[in-house]
Amino acid sequence: MRELRVSVLPPYNFDLVLDRLSLDPLNSVDISSRTVKVPFYGEEDEILEVTATGTTDDPSFLVQMEKEDRGNARLDYLKKVFQWEGTLQEIHQHFLDTDLKDIFTEHSGTPVVLEFNPYSTLMKSIIHQQLNLAFAHTLTQRFVHKFGREKDGVWFYPAPGETAILDVDELREMQFSQRKAEYVIGVSKEIAEGRLNLQELEKKPDDEILKELVKLRGIGPWTAENYLMFALGRQNLFPKTDIGIQNALKKLYGMDRKPTLAEIDEMSEAWSPYLSYASLYLWRSIENRK
DNA sequence: GACCAGGATTGCT
DNA sequence: AGCAATCATGGT
């Protein structure tokens, strides 16, 4: 077991990170020991264990790895996933002059934490389309439990090639709709057969990635924006068709209806170039928390 | 028992 | 181009 200590710039509230991660039952989170076990999709499945050892104003972490970290691949991955090199201070500063001031103060130190794998983000987003979160998590969990892999309590999504050869009926059995099953298998085929290269895609600017992803059957604007935000960590995305965002804005402005798309454009204008943070904090503002 | 969920596609006009 | 129907099921 290799151990490593990391400190990052404040503010950074890892307990809020764990709180959000625990919304997905596939994540291996232990709130009391302030630890999350992260799947690392290398040549073999590996687990990286991250434990908070500091506070919001003096954040530090203990990282435990199973193998030697050749080329810093694992540490670089964790830095990106948990945004350890971000500057939340500046971002908070930006929002103090906006209508999101109170929400940002309440959730101060919450970074945008990325999903643990680009392909899994795509699958999860497609499965989550249009469904309430409870059922969406159930479906995703069924999918990963049946076709993915487990190691020491940590779940790994199947590889694209493994999903690509599934039959639609195998997903229908676990209560996927016909079309959702086709989307999941179809997009996996695009990747497995080399027509969609996620590593190459990552090098392009937001608008080009959006354009390419939306061409695929089963990926619309919402899913593509979700990918840019949570697989790639792009900072200026605002999924205005998202029901959760619309409900959060309705609540924020005390409206008796959801805002129109034009109204949303107006509201969000002042939050650029950090719209992804605005989105995250708006989602957090309507999530049920203990 | 409606009606809505962290949407996208298809088939109408 | 724009609109309605469709999808599976759980929560309210």
Side-chain angles (χ1 to χ4, degrees), chain A residues 215-282:
Chain A
K215 282 185 204 159
L216 302 177
R217 185 167 183 267
I219 299 184
W222 181 87
T223 305
E225 287 169 353
N226 201 73
Y227 185 81
L228 282 164
M229 234 189 277
F230 291 115
L232 303 184
R234 304 292 170 97
Q235 297 207 328
N236 205 30
L237 279 297
F238 198 75
K240 57 184 172 185
T241 60
D242 181 283
I243 300 293
I245 294 284
Q246 294 178 4
N247 285 331
L249 290 171
K250 173 183 167 191
K251 181 179 170 190
L252 174 63
Y253 291 106
M255 302 169 73
D256 55 2
R257 56 170 177 83
K258 283 183 277 197
T260 64
L261 296 182
E263 287 170 334
I264 295 177
D265 285 336
E266 245 178 273
M267 295 167 174
S268 60
E269 208 177 349
W271 305 329
S272 186
Y274 299 118
L275 287 170
S276 300
Y277 284 87
S279 308
L280 175 67
Y281 282 66
L282 282 167

Side-chain angles (χ1 to χ4, degrees), chain A residues 9-10 14 43 55 73-74 78 91 99 105 116 133 149 151 161 164 168 198 205 214 236 240 252-253 270 272 288:
Chain A
L9 289 177
F14 199 65
E43 296 193 7
T55 62
R74 294 159 189 77
L78 289 177
I91 294 167
D99 295 341
T105 304
F116 298 142
L133 284 183
R149 309 175 296 280
K151 179 181 181 182
V168 168
L198 295 181
V214 165
N236 205 30
K240 57 184 172 185
L252 174 63
Y253 291 106
S272 186
N288 294 325

Side-chain angles (χ1 to χ4, degrees), chain A residues 3-197:
Chain A
E3 292 194 351
L4 190 63
R5 295 196 178 269
V6 180
S7 24
V8 308
L9 289 177
Y12 192 106
N13 189 331
F14 199 65
D15 298 306
L16 292 181
V17 169
L18 294 175
D19 185 43
R20 178 159 169 91
L21 285 174
S22 65
L23 294 178
D24 185 341
L26 284 168
N27 288 331
S28 183
V29 176
D30 185 358
I31 302 279
S32 58
S33 69
R34 308 179 77 199
T35 299
V36 56
K37 291 196 230 172
V38 177
F40 178 73
Y41 295 75
E43 296 193 7
E44 292 174 45
D45 294 337
E46 289 178 42
I47 297 171
L48 309 176
E49 205 169 309
V50 178
T51 305
T53 51
T55 62
T56 301
D57 296 322
D58 183 17
S60 64
F61 304 93
L62 171 64
V63 176
Q64 295 171 287
M65 302 178 178
E66 298 175 296
K67 295 186 180 172
E68 190 189 344
D69 191 17
R70 285 186 196 287
N72 285 334
R74 294 159 189 77
L75 180 58
D76 287 345
Y77 163 73
L78 289 177
K79 280 181 180 170
K80 171 142 191 179
V81 165
F82 292 105
Q83 301 282 294
W84 279 342
E85 297 187 325
T87 51
L88 266 180
Q89 180 62 47
E90 271 176 38
I91 294 167
H92 279 293
Q93 200 63 41
H94 175 79
F95 283 97
L96 285 186
D97 302 321
T98 72
D99 295 341
L100 290 181
K101 171 178 57 183
D102 293 343
I103 293 180
F104 266 76
T105 304
E106 185 184 347
H107 301 273
S108 174
T110 306
V112 172
V113 170
L114 274 53
E115 292 285 338
F116 298 142
N117 178 271
Y119 168 69
S120 74
T121 310
L122 223 38
M123 293 299 104
K124 181 174 166 181
S125 305
I126 293 173
I127 294 171
H128 279 230
Q129 286 168 6
Q130 160 62 12
L131 299 177
N132 64 75
L133 284 183
F135 183 48
H137 281 134
T138 303
L139 268 191
T140 313
Q141 204 172 14
R142 281 182 196 158
F143 173 72
V144 175
H145 282 184
K146 175 125 188 187
F147 302 111
R149 309 175 296 280
E150 185 261 352
K151 179 181 181 182
D152 295 337
V154 178
W155 284 97
F156 292 73
Y157 278 67
E162 297 176 291
T163 311
I165 58 173
L166 296 181
D167 195 281
V168 168
D169 293 336
E170 294 181 79
L171 295 177
R172 296 230 51 183
E173 281 171 19
M174 43 180 82
Q175 295 169 306
F176 279 58
S177 64
Q178 174 74 24
R179 275 208 295 243
K180 191 160 287 195
E182 290 169 7
Y183 297 166
V184 163
I185 294 170
V187 171
S188 298
K189 269 188 185 157
E190 293 296 307
I191 298 170
E193 293 169 11
R195 289 184 294 277
L196 174 63
N197 184 329

